[in-house]
Amino acid sequence: MIIREIEKRDYDEWRALWKSYLAFYNTTVTQDVYELTFRRLIERQTSHQMAFLAEKDDQLVGLVHYIRHPHNWKLEHVIYLQDLFALPEVRGQGVGRALIEAVYDAADKMGCPSVYWLTQENNETARRLYDRVATVSDFIKYNR
């Protein structure tokens, strides 16, 4: 398995992966959002949105999107790991862990010691991995 940065040639496979991720959370986005998000992800020099892809046997099998942003309580920026997805047939094979570790490495290189993310309370499969690679916080999320 190879973990690598997203590239322009990845659009179709990336879109299929992200569409599956969004379906897991019972949501969709418009074609405009797919296109704008992809453009931001591949414009590394001008965007704070980034992505890694997991590739196995010349097929994309996972993705992670992350966002670098300032934080009012810290001098350095922090990283928000927004989306993490692996195809069902490769789950349990280290894809999710490798993608998280790639974000950790990128965060270290950018001088961002803090990486955080959210998941649904009942996402037990993902939480088993998250409990091994991070510390759960006691914050509760509210939405407008």
Side-chain angles (χ1 to χ4, degrees), residues 34-81:
Y34 280 112
E35 291 172 10
L36 178 60
T37 299
F38 188 75
R39 196 165 48 250
R40 288 174 175 166
L41 293 172
I42 62 172
E43 292 174 356
R44 289 181 207 60
Q45 287 75 14
T46 58
S47 177
H48 294 287
Q49 293 171 245
M50 295 157 269
F52 287 113
L53 300 172
E55 186 176 341
K56 186 174 183 182
D57 300 325
D58 296 321
Q59 177 191 356
L60 297 184
V61 296
L63 65 75
V64 64
H65 300 153
Y66 60 104
I67 302 169
R68 179 179 175 255
H69 67 87
H71 193 290
N72 289 342
W73 297 1
K74 299 176 184 290
L75 296 175
E76 63 278 340
H77 284 77
V78 298
I79 300 291
Y80 173 48
L81 191 157

Side-chain angles (χ1 to χ4, degrees), residues 78-131:
V78 298
I79 300 291
Y80 173 48
L81 191 157
Q82 187 170 29
D83 306 317
L84 177 68
F85 180 75
L87 291 173
E89 58 267 26
V90 298
R91 291 186 188 151
Q93 297 178 27
V95 174
R97 177 186 286 271
L99 288 166
I100 291 170
E101 288 175 354
V103 172
Y104 283 175
D105 289 343
D108 290 344
K109 289 175 184 166
M110 289 185 277
C112 301
S114 180
V115 176
Y116 71 99
W117 63 91
L118 306 170
T119 194
Q120 289 180 327
E121 188 174 2
N122 63 356
N123 191 353
E124 294 172 6
T125 301
R127 290 185 68 192
R128 280 193 293 277
L129 168 62
Y130 301 160
D131 287 343

